Amino acid sequence: MPADRPPPEGPSAPEDRSMLLDSARRTTEVEPILTVHPEPGVAKPNPILTMDGLRRSFGGLTAVDVDHLEIERGIVTALIGPNGAGKTTLFNLLTGFDRADHGRWEFNGQMVTSPSPDRLARRGMVRTFQLTKSLAKLSVLQNMLLGAPNQMGERLWAAPFRHLWRNQERTNTERADELLEQFNLARMRDELAGTLSGGQRKLLEVARALMSDPALVMLDEPMAGVNPALAQSLLGHITQLALSGVSVVYIEHDMDVVSGISDWVVVLAQGRVIAEGGPWKVIHDESVIDAYLGRRRAGTEA
Amino acid sequence: MDFDIIFGNAARAAFGPEAIILALAAIGLNIHFGFTGLLNFGQVGFIMLGAYGTSVAVATFGWSLWVGIPIGLFLALALAVALGIPTLRLHAVMFAIVTIAAAEIIRILIGSTDAIGLTGGPLSVSFDAGAFFDLNPYADGPQDRYGVGTFAFTGQQMWVITVGWVLVALVSLIVFLIIRSPWGRVLKSIREDEDAARSLGKNVFWYKMQALMIGGVIGGMAGVIDAIKTSGADPNGFRPQVTFYTYTALLLGGAATYMGPVLGAILFWFLREWIESFLRQLSAEAWLPGAIADFLEGSEGIISVAMVGLALVLLMLFRPQGITGNRIEMQLDAR
Ligand SMILES: Nc1ncnc2c1ncn2[C@@H]1O[C@H](COP(=O)(O)OP(=O)(O)OP(=O)(O)O)[C@@H](O)[C@H]1O
Ligand SMILES: [Mg+2]
């Protein structure tokens, strides 16, 4: 399943080296997670997201069936699993885009009682979509600005009075330009987003999600369709994010990417968490390999 | 065949009260359909409540016109809330069905014989709009005419037209200001992809509700002007085709543009009146074969509406973004 892409430690761009440095530095910072025993549903020292008994079925098919799972704060967690494992569905449940049949989860220390996507986003849980949702008829910059939180100008009563929101808009624009620069989209700033390539839209969506300074970003296959060089820099940003205290969960199929930048890996198969742990250990876990190859083992069959 | 008369008639329609009413209705619809993507097929309902709210307050309750107007606008606002709460969360098609049905239900209720005591029922309601015309600065004698040839208005009409176009300009300005703001940006994001807007923390339901309310109240303004112009209201004036004429004007001018609804309304009435006058003159020509003249006689109005419809079809084929729209934006839909 892994896409045809060079491993993260490629020999080329200068950013690669800095990324290596970052990950070296990070190893010391994420120490606590390394002490966690790698088994499904294990408790973490400082979780930002904790879910219990989360279930969702479509007709007879149980897409998600997670007994207990914790996502650690401030690190990069990869969510992997074969196609149809329920990764996207799990994202949809957690972010309020789909309703669980059962289950409860806690975000940032607070129970999520009535999951509405916009409220969760305002609380700091921001996601991107597997099928990109860039807004084609808005310019790239407008897309970015839309991501900014608490905008005075988004209130109807203040909208006609530009002086009430001009400064905030300017600050947001500066922030947007910074991010566009980082994501190699500065050139496209004033183009309509609909004119971007598929990979550029993926990048735009991630950059846009970052406009709100989220506490947790959930990226659904952010690297899919992005060319290797850009994917490389995107990986760098993800690492940077975790360094600056943001928690990241991302879905990815490429094992090189997963082992390159993840601090922790959760494996989903047929809706269940079948393994979690440090990247090296999980990727070489036999039950994980079996799941990817479509083999069922006595232990995972329910 | 006198083309001066034809042109004069067309110009009078294009700048007269009818065009103003259509322009306001289309500006409101532009907020719904153009900028937010709400398929409101009941714009006439808002116009109707604006007109009847004003008329009934003055005629039935004997209140001042200056109380009646806000009541008309308030009823339009209330309709927006009443329609929005149950339907804005549903699929766009559901919303379209509910709006068209709601407008018809309101019209039937207003026009029912049971409502005679309140709204005049099937008979039209009429009131004295003196409070408005007392302020008329134009001399309004029986001989006073403003304009040239058939492109001329009475003093009373001039006053309605002046107030009306000032209102259109003012409302257009406000719409321009709110749409180019971050608020307008959220509307456009909802139009394109509600889930994207939600994922960025926008309360989609509430923004749609705000858009519905604003566009509805602007539709209510069209109704108020209509009530003042005719000193009353008639249920037959608020059939569903009013909404479709509004869509025609909006699409002619260009949806989701600032000037589109106004230009579209002017063009709609110009074309409609030009064709109708032309046909009326044509049917009187001696050289026309009797069968064709008989066919035209009395149907000029219907034929002219059909021709405007044809013009819309051609426009959609060759310039789908309308007169003022942006071609590139349209092409993005295909991707
Ligand atoms: N709306 C839906 N209706 C019916 N079945 C659904 C729906 N959404 C997901 N499913 C089913 O649930 C299962 C999990 O789908 P999901 O999209 O979560 O997988 P995934 O792990 O994201 O896969 P991929 O790696 O291919 O993106 C699949 O079998 C899918 O067919
Ligand atoms: Mg998926």
Side-chain angles (χ1 to χ4, degrees):
Chain A
M1 176 66 349
D4 202 11
R5 195 184 294 143
E9 296 85 6
S12 53
E15 334 167 356
D16 291 357
R17 231 172 298 281
S18 70
M19 218 193 72
L20 279 179
L21 281 178
D22 285 343
S23 48
R25 199 166 70 227
R26 236 178 49 229
T27 332
T28 56
E29 288 184 18
V30 296
E31 202 69 70
I33 194 70
L34 296 177
T35 65
V36 172
H37 185 64
E39 65 178 12
V42 69
K44 314 254 166 27
N46 188 13
I48 188 167
L49 191 60
T50 309
M51 57 207 99
D52 278 296
L54 208 53
R55 262 183 74 100
R56 173 72 164 113
S57 42
F58 298 105
L61 176 100
T62 304
V64 167
D65 186 1
V66 172
D67 288 334
H68 183 85
L69 179 62
E70 300 185 2
I71 303 291
E72 175 70 357
R73 188 185 302 271
I75 66 165
V76 178
T77 304
L79 181 59
I80 66 172
N83 290 118
K87 305 180 294 295
T88 299
T89 307
L90 181 60
F91 265 30
N92 287 346
L93 295 179
L94 293 171
T95 52
F97 281 90
D98 191 6
R99 286 213 174 270
D101 304 328
H102 301 287
R104 25 201 261 146
W105 65 106
E106 206 173 272
F107 171 60
N108 233 343
Q110 266 187 308
M111 206 55 137
V112 177
T113 42
S114 54
S116 101
D118 52 301
R119 212 175 306 149
L120 282 167
R122 290 196 295 274
R123 272 171 62 180
M125 186 200 285
V126 176
R127 72 167 299 181
T128 65
F129 295 87
Q130 184 167 4
L131 297 171
T132 326
K133 289 190 183 296
S134 57
L135 298 158
K137 292 184 188 179
L138 297 184
S139 74
V140 168
L141 179 64
Q142 297 283 311
N143 262 276
M144 292 296 287
L145 291 172
L146 199 63
N150 302 321
Q151 294 190 52
M152 175 68 95
E154 287 183 355
R155 295 173 195 197
L156 182 53
W157 62 267
F161 309 108
R162 195 176 193 168
H163 62 273
L164 291 178
W165 45 265
R166 199 184 333 175
N167 284 338
Q168 194 187 23
E169 186 86 345
R170 197 176 299 136
T171 319
N172 289 341
T173 307
E174 280 164 17
R175 168 103 179 101
D177 280 331
E178 261 169 44
L179 282 166
L180 287 176
E181 192 68 51
Q182 282 179 30
F183 282 78
N184 284 318
L185 289 169
R187 232 166 15 94
M188 309 299 287
R189 180 186 196 264
D190 299 312
E191 305 293 327
L192 294 180
T195 65
L196 297 184
S197 73
Q200 285 174 319
R201 288 185 216 187
K202 277 265 163 194
L203 290 174
L204 173 61
E205 207 187 351
V206 176
R208 189 176 65 188
L210 298 184
M211 281 295 290
S212 64
D213 289 320
L216 171 66
V217 285
M218 305 178 62
L219 311 172
D220 197 342
E221 302 198 21
M223 255 71 78
V226 178
N227 89 56
L230 278 183
Q232 204 56 62
S233 77
L234 184 53
L235 294 181
H237 297 314
I238 291 178
T239 314
Q240 281 295 331
L241 271 178
L243 278 177
S244 60
V246 179
S247 315
V248 181
V249 184
Y250 73 107
I251 298 174
E252 177 58 59
H253 285 293
D254 185 331
M255 289 308 151
D256 292 327
V257 169
V258 170
S259 56
I261 65 159
S262 318
D263 301 305
W264 194 260
V265 178
V266 175
V267 189
L268 218 56
Q270 292 165 23
R272 293 169 163 276
V273 179
I274 58 161
E276 58 173 313
W280 183 256
K281 190 158 181 356
V282 164
I283 289 170
H284 296 94
D285 186 305
E286 228 173 285
S287 67
V288 174
I289 297 170
D290 285 349
Y292 266 89
L293 294 177
R295 280 203 298 258
R296 284 171 179 226
R297 288 162 61 91
T300 56
E301 203 153 13
Chain B
M1 182 81 54
D2 186 339
F3 278 96
D4 283 348
I5 292 180
I6 294 174
F7 186 82
N9 282 339
R12 193 180 57 216
F15 294 99
E18 300 292 351
I20 292 168
I21 293 164
L22 187 60
L24 285 170
I27 294 171
L29 187 62
N30 196 26
I31 294 188
H32 297 156
F33 171 73
F35 293 116
T36 320
L38 292 173
L39 278 175
N40 170 18
F41 279 116
Q43 184 67 344
V44 66
F46 298 98
I47 306 173
M48 180 165 34
L49 286 183
Y52 265 96
T54 308
S55 305
V56 168
V58 181
T60 310
F61 295 98
W63 295 332
S64 147
L65 180 63
W66 308 120
V67 178
I69 292 174
I71 287 178
L73 298 182
F74 176 80
L75 287 179
L77 184 74
L79 176 62
V81 176
L83 281 178
I85 287 176
T87 54
L88 279 180
R89 290 181 207 276
L90 303 180
H91 193 270
V93 174
M94 296 293 173
F95 180 76
I97 294 169
V98 171
T99 48
I100 193 168
E104 263 302 86
I105 290 170
I106 295 171
R107 186 182 69 82
I108 290 165
L109 288 179
I110 284 178
S112 75
T113 45
D114 292 329
I116 285 183
L118 184 68
T119 63
L123 318 164
S124 47
V125 60
S126 60
F127 65 95
D128 176 15
F132 177 78
F133 291 107
D134 285 347
L135 304 174
N136 185 358
Y138 296 98
D140 188 28
Q143 302 304 319
D144 287 314
R145 284 291 178 281
Y146 300 82
V148 285
T150 47
F151 178 41
F153 299 100
T154 67
Q156 278 212 352
Q157 286 171 332
M158 277 306 282
W159 182 222
V160 173
I161 290 167
T162 308
V163 172
W165 284 117
V166 168
L167 187 65
V168 168
L170 219 60
V171 169
S172 295
L173 176 70
I174 292 172
V175 169
F176 169 73
L177 289 176
I178 59 176
I179 293 298
R180 64 141 200 200
S181 76
W183 184 84
R185 188 162 62 211
V186 177
L187 290 197
K188 291 179 201 164
S189 77
I190 291 171
R191 177 185 66 188
E192 246 187 272
D193 193 328
E194 288 184 17
D195 280 344
R198 280 195 191 97
S199 77
L200 297 170
K202 315 303 176 198
N203 185 340
V204 169
F205 173 78
W206 177 228
Y207 279 99
K208 281 187 185 173
M209 183 60 104
Q210 290 175 330
L212 188 61
M213 291 194 293
I214 294 175
V217 169
I218 297 174
M221 289 179 190
V224 169
I225 300 281
D226 191 33
I228 289 174
K229 183 205 85 177
T230 49
S231 294
D234 182 331
N236 287 317
F238 302 102
R239 292 182 176 277
Q241 55 259 45
V242 176
T243 300
F244 299 121
Y245 294 156
T246 311
Y247 266 102
T248 306
L250 181 58
L251 295 173
L252 277 175
T257 65
Y258 296 114
M259 289 313 292
V262 180
L263 294 178
I266 291 174
L267 191 67
F268 177 91
W269 273 105
F270 186 89
L271 284 178
R272 193 176 150 173
E273 191 58 40
W274 197 97
I275 297 168
E276 190 173 341
S277 290
F278 174 79
L279 291 177
R280 209 176 291 122
Q281 296 230 353
L282 188 68
S283 64
E285 293 284 325
W287 50 264
L288 206 67
I292 296 182
D294 287 346
F295 171 71
L296 286 179
E297 182 107 52
S299 330
E300 293 95 345
I302 296 167
I303 297 174
S304 106
V305 171
M307 300 292 266
V308 174
L310 186 65
L312 182 68
V313 171
L314 293 176
L315 190 81
M316 289 296 104
L317 281 175
F318 296 108
R319 203 179 154 79
Q321 69 274 38
I323 298 169
T324 58
N326 180 336
R327 176 110 220 170
I328 298 175
E329 277 191 15
M330 289 294 299
Q331 284 165 341
L332 288 177
D333 281 340
R335 290 182 45 137

